[in-house]
Amino acid sequence: MPVKEAKKPKLIVDLSKSSKLKGFIVIYNDNLGPALGGTRIVDYKSTKEALIDAKRLARAMTYKSAVAGLPFGGGKGVIVKQPGMSKKETLKEYALQVHKLKGKFHTGEDVGLNEADVQYMLKFSPYFVGKTGMAGDPSQFAALSAFKTLKIALKFLYKSDKIAGRTFAVKGVGNTGSSLTKLLSKAGGKVFVFDPDIKKVKKLVRSTKNVFAAKDDIAELKVDVFCPCALGNDITKKNVNKIQAKIICGTANNQLESPEIADILFKRGILKVPDYIANAGGVIDVADELLPGGYDKKRVLRKIDSMKKILLFVLNQSKKTKKSPIRISDAMAERSFLGKKESYNVYNR
């Protein structure tokens, strides 16, 4: 499904011009500080597709850090998977390219990378986050923030944040999706899961109570909450009017085809938690390595907990102004990194 390109980023590095790699590093905005965002290795169909994804993800990271109150801008690295290169060769080559930016961009794991890969790249550049013994794999924290904000959405809509007795559809059971599924299951939720990787689904169903495999893509399943946790672009013009869940809250970035989709959902009475509020726990975790005093897990958990207050403010403003929560949160982020006067500010309330 084609997606719209993000607005013009501050910097685009074409990796093919100075390395054996195909892919890009995109810095969308760094007004608040050095750009921060993960790197993914994906079997993109073309370099054009990779660039569009990188630009959209870098934009999302900019808004995510701004809304979370982090002193960082947003960036993203994407690498086109190349069968002819070993992973170690790819990682070394990429680390050297990141190093050339001299700290303008800090990055870590995303799709296609893991904690061990980060440790290996640290041999060639210090500008990687998610270190073993510190932030590590951030996926559990992204799932935790999604879980906490999901409960705020439930309470806002139903006057109760109780998970037990509710139904959930989780699309994508990679690291973040499986972690969120387990949190929902432990709290008593009935969870339907879908992933193209059948082995992952079967493993999760066997090991986790109240979890059931769905036969097809479950975006349109009749459940209380739809949780997109895959690669994004889950809700489009084609399926937006078929969504039956009353709440959408997941760990994926760029869940919507365009901001206009958010307006349609809002008009339909569907509460869409902004992606970068729901999954902010991941960047909060890795960013903490760069804050004064070094990594502090207690500080990370406090910061993740504070996202509940931010979401509640967004939802109340959405109700008051009759605008979608995403329009409100975008305005908040833009006030932070662009200084827009017309935007909202939760931090002084």
Side-chain angles (χ1 to χ4, degrees):
M1 174 69 67
V3 295
K4 293 182 179 180
E5 294 192 35
K7 294 178 183 179
K8 187 178 180 180
K10 180 176 180 178
L11 176 67
I12 299 175
V13 178
D14 184 344
L15 297 174
S16 67
K17 291 185 176 180
S18 56
S19 74
K20 301 175 185 177
L21 302 173
K22 291 182 180 179
F24 302 90
I25 294 173
V26 175
I27 294 176
Y28 187 83
N29 186 283
D30 61 359
N31 288 350
L32 296 177
L36 178 62
T39 293
R40 58 177 54 180
I41 302 178
V42 175
D43 188 16
Y44 291 102
K45 295 178 182 178
S46 67
T47 53
K48 181 180 179 181
E49 183 183 68
L51 178 57
I52 290 173
D53 198 30
K55 289 165 73 174
R56 295 184 81 220
L57 290 165
R59 178 186 183 278
M61 292 306 304
T62 301
Y63 282 68
K64 189 183 304 188
S65 286
V67 165
L70 297 173
F72 298 102
K76 202 72 178 183
V78 303
I79 302 171
V80 181
K81 187 181 290 186
Q82 294 172 250
M85 289 184 71
S86 69
K87 191 169 189 181
K88 280 200 169 183
E89 184 182 6
T90 298
L91 297 177
K92 179 179 179 180
E93 193 80 1
Y94 180 67
L96 294 174
Q97 298 306 306
V98 170
H99 194 68
K100 288 180 181 179
L101 292 173
K102 299 179 180 180
K104 292 180 180 178
F105 175 56
H106 289 77
T107 189
E109 67 176 277
D110 197 343
V111 178
L113 292 175
N114 57 39
E115 187 176 325
D117 295 332
V118 169
Q119 292 303 117
Y120 181 72
M121 288 187 286
L122 280 164
K123 294 180 179 180
F124 309 102
S125 176
Y127 304 118
F128 287 86
V129 289
K131 301 177 182 71
T132 298
M134 293 189 219
D137 179 357
S139 59
Q140 61 178 314
F141 295 97
L144 180 61
S145 61
F147 180 74
K148 286 178 176 287
T149 52
L150 187 158
K151 291 186 72 175
I152 292 296
L154 282 172
K155 190 169 185 178
F156 187 83
L157 201 62
Y158 298 115
K159 311 303 179 188
S160 170
D161 65 358
K162 191 176 180 181
I163 298 290
R166 296 280 179 197
T167 53
F168 304 83
V170 177
K171 180 180 179 180
V173 290
N175 290 344
T176 62
S178 59
S179 294
L180 179 57
T181 298
K182 290 172 183 176
L183 288 171
L184 293 170
S185 168
K186 186 177 180 180
K190 183 177 182 181
V191 190
F192 298 91
V193 296
F194 171 83
D195 195 292
D197 190 333
I198 304 301
K199 289 183 179 178
K200 286 183 179 179
V201 172
K202 288 183 176 178
K203 182 180 179 181
L204 191 59
V205 170
R206 284 197 304 265
S207 63
T208 316
K209 65 179 182 179
N210 297 325
V211 176
F212 307 88
K215 294 181 180 179
D216 300 301
D217 190 336
I218 55 178
E220 300 166 22
L221 197 65
K222 189 174 183 180
V223 290
D224 294 311
V225 185
F226 171 42
C227 305
C229 300
L231 292 178
N233 204 37
D234 296 295
I235 306 173
T236 67
K237 291 178 182 178
K238 289 186 176 181
N239 71 359
V240 64
N241 288 310
K242 298 177 183 178
I243 303 296
Q244 298 189 71
K246 298 303 292 183
I247 295 172
I248 300 172
C249 180
T251 60
N253 288 304
N254 299 323
Q255 296 165 23
L256 308 183
E257 183 181 37
S258 69
E260 291 71 30
I261 301 298
D263 300 329
I264 297 171
L265 291 170
F266 183 69
K267 288 178 182 177
R268 291 192 59 214
I270 297 173
L271 194 164
K272 173 68 180 77
V273 176
D275 310 347
Y276 51 79
I277 291 180
N279 63 26
V283 74
I284 289 170
D285 177 48
V286 295
D288 206 76
E289 292 184 355
L290 304 173
L291 296 181
Y295 187 74
D296 181 344
K297 187 175 180 179
K298 290 182 179 179
R299 179 169 58 187
V300 169
L301 293 175
R302 286 196 303 270
K303 189 68 175 174
I304 290 174
D305 210 48
S306 73
M307 297 307 295
K308 297 187 299 183
K309 177 184 176 183
I310 292 172
L311 176 60
L312 186 58
F313 174 83
V314 166
L315 296 180
N316 282 323
Q317 285 293 328
S318 173
K319 184 177 181 180
K320 180 180 177 180
T321 62
K322 295 180 171 55
K323 294 180 181 179
S324 78
I326 291 172
R327 297 291 186 185
I328 302 298
S329 59
D330 278 0
M332 285 172 56
E334 288 161 5
R335 179 185 178 105
S336 181
F337 73 86
L338 294 177
K340 287 193 173 183
K341 294 180 181 179
E342 69 273 19
S343 301
Y344 300 97
N345 187 359
V346 68
Y347 307 109
N348 295 328
R349 290 176 177 259

